[in-house]
């Protein structure tokens, strides 16, 4: 996984976790859902990069 893509995936996951936690604290269901979606997007990006790395070997 390239360093840039890895960092982007981790940042997206962290941003999603933060938004989800903020939404829970503020009892804001749409924000919780949006945060979970961003975290899932980061997880998917990371999984994609790991699969790409497997095929490079």
């Amino acid at each position: 996984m390239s360093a840039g893509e890895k960092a982007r995936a981790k940042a997206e996951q962290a941003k999603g976790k933060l938004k989800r936690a903020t939404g829970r604290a503020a009892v804001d269901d749409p924000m919780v859902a949006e945060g979970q979606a961003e975290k899932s997007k980061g997880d998917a990006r990371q999984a994609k990069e790991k699969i790409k790395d497997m095929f490079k070997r």
Side-chain angles (χ1 to χ4, degrees):
M1 181 177 345
S2 71
E5 287 294 317
K6 184 175 183 178
R8 190 174 300 137
K10 289 290 184 182
E12 202 161 24
Q13 289 170 333
K15 182 179 172 187
K17 282 183 183 180
L18 179 63
K19 189 176 279 190
R20 194 168 128 214
T22 303
R24 282 186 177 168
V27 191
D28 185 1
D29 290 335
M31 185 181 275
V32 172
E34 190 176 319
Q36 182 60 44
E38 284 184 23
K39 183 183 176 306
S40 296
K41 188 175 171 184
D43 292 341
R45 184 185 304 265
Q46 186 175 29
K48 177 190 83 166
E49 290 300 318
K50 284 182 179 181
I51 290 170
K52 281 174 43 179
D53 285 346
M54 264 187 350
F55 284 106
K56 285 183 182 178
R57 295 178 187 188

